[in-house]
Amino acid sequence: MGSVTIAGARKYYGAYEAIHGIDFSVADGEFVTLVGPSGCGKSTLLRMIAGLEEISDGEIRIGDRVVNDVAAKNRDIAMVFQNYALYPHRTVRDNMAFALRLRRLGKAEVKAKVDRAAEILGLGDLLDRYPRELSGGQRQRVAMGRAIVRDPQVFLFDEPLSNLDAKLRVAMRAEIKELHQRLGTTMIYVTHDQVEAMTMADRIVVMQGGRVEQIGKPLELYDRP
Ligand code: ADP
Ligand code: ADP
């Protein structure tokens, strides 16, 4: 259900080809990192998978549904961004509940989903706070909570830990891995940090210049010259 199939996907910005016909698949429940230097197209490819970016050619499917054929609010994905993208004037609870209200879920159901996400992420005591009253790590947890309440088939992470200091980054990596084990959902994680890519992934996709340069399990890639 949460498999992702990328077939001949291309992206042009005007005449500039940012993504050059990429093909690969991610299995249901797999954790894949996309790694490569700045400007190689990681974020563009992730946004294409999310349906946030028009695909110039080729196709991307989640399960058996073509991403661009499905309305944004019905897509089975949730994205977590580097800058958290929290609403500053809403509490933690409302930040998590907001997207669900748009889906017209009942009050009790929204509350149950938010409470479950808060429990998973250890945010129970912070539900009435505002983003400015939180640390960077706590904000990133709220951003993850907002993704979890959507019950997505696929989580997409765009350099979620880049704004955190080194120590917290290591702790949050472990939290995200735990989340993956607990939920069992597909996760695609963009990072420019090779260590992060190696330590977190079932499989790594190495990008370069809008193309996939290598793809494999961490140890397979590590052994190459
Ligand atoms: P990465 O995430 O690997 O740093 P991006 O996906 O952000 O790379 O960018 C890939 C390439 O596409 C870069 O050369 C970037 O300048 C270009 N690009 C990204 N977004 C746009 C845009 N909206 N318009 C034009 N060019 C873009
Ligand atoms: P919302 O007001 O729901 O936050 P946005 O303008 O942020 O909406 O996003 C547009 C669409 O993306 C909406 O249909 C919403 O359901 C969906 N959406 C909201 N949050 C996320 C998320 N974390 N990941 C992916 N899609 C989201």
Side-chain angles (χ1 to χ4, degrees), residues 18 20 35-37 39-42 205-214:
H20 296 253
V35 69
C40 72
K42 305 179 294 293
V205 175
V206 183
M207 291 181 65
Q208 173 77 49
R211 293 186 163 85
V212 171
E213 195 179 60
Q214 292 180 49

Side-chain angles (χ1 to χ4, degrees), residues 71-144:
K73 73 173 167 48
N74 295 326
R75 288 191 195 118
D76 274 339
I77 59 107
M79 193 139 168
V80 180
F81 300 95
Q82 173 178 1
N83 60 6
Y84 323 127
L86 301 181
Y87 299 106
H89 302 298
R90 293 177 198 271
T91 61
V92 167
R93 177 181 290 286
D94 286 345
N95 263 284
M96 292 201 270
F98 189 70
L100 295 180
R101 298 213 182 100
L102 292 185
R103 287 184 168 187
R104 297 165 184 274
L105 297 188
K107 253 191 177 160
E109 198 177 348
V110 169
K111 183 171 186 307
K113 284 179 185 285
V114 170
D115 287 346
R116 170 175 169 266
E119 190 264 314
I120 290 174
L121 295 165
L123 288 171
D125 294 336
L126 304 176
L127 285 169
D128 294 324
R129 292 215 196 159
Y130 289 87
R132 67 171 179 279
E133 300 171 322
L134 303 176
S135 70
Q138 289 168 339
R139 284 179 203 179
Q140 193 49 276
R141 258 180 230 122
V142 177
M144 291 201 279

Side-chain angles (χ1 to χ4, degrees), residues 23-105:
D23 297 279
F24 68 88
S25 297
V26 178
D28 189 23
E30 198 178 12
F31 196 121
V32 166
T33 50
L34 297 184
V35 69
S38 181
C40 72
K42 305 179 294 293
S43 180
T44 299
L45 183 61
L46 198 74
R47 292 201 311 271
M48 289 161 74
I49 297 168
L52 299 174
E53 198 78 66
E54 204 64 50
I55 300 175
S56 308
D57 193 16
E59 191 174 86
I60 299 179
R61 291 192 305 276
I62 294 179
D64 54 9
R65 306 206 295 175
V66 176
V67 166
N68 289 90
D69 292 349
V70 180
K73 73 173 167 48
N74 295 326
R75 288 191 195 118
D76 274 339
I77 59 107
M79 193 139 168
V80 180
F81 300 95
Q82 173 178 1
N83 60 6
Y84 323 127
L86 301 181
Y87 299 106
H89 302 298
R90 293 177 198 271
T91 61
V92 167
R93 177 181 290 286
D94 286 345
N95 263 284
M96 292 201 270
F98 189 70
L100 295 180
R101 298 213 182 100
L102 292 185
R103 287 184 168 187
R104 297 165 184 274
L105 297 188

Side-chain angles (χ1 to χ4, degrees), residues 118-194:
E119 190 264 314
I120 290 174
L121 295 165
L123 288 171
D125 294 336
L126 304 176
L127 285 169
D128 294 324
R129 292 215 196 159
Y130 289 87
R132 67 171 179 279
E133 300 171 322
L134 303 176
S135 70
Q138 289 168 339
R139 284 179 203 179
Q140 193 49 276
R141 258 180 230 122
V142 177
M144 291 201 279
R146 218 163 46 168
I148 291 171
V149 296
R150 295 169 60 82
D151 287 328
Q153 300 284 340
V154 182
F155 282 81
L156 303 173
F157 294 92
D158 195 355
E159 308 226 12
L161 307 184
S162 305
N163 284 340
L164 304 178
D165 67 51
K167 204 170 147 199
L168 188 55
R169 216 153 52 217
V170 171
M172 293 292 288
R173 276 181 205 157
E175 279 195 32
I176 293 174
K177 286 298 289 176
E178 271 176 47
L179 186 65
H180 179 241
Q181 266 159 16
R182 173 150 181 181
L183 300 178
T185 44
T186 309
M187 294 191 171
I188 303 181
Y189 187 105
V190 164
T191 177
H192 62 263
D193 182 332
Q194 296 235 16

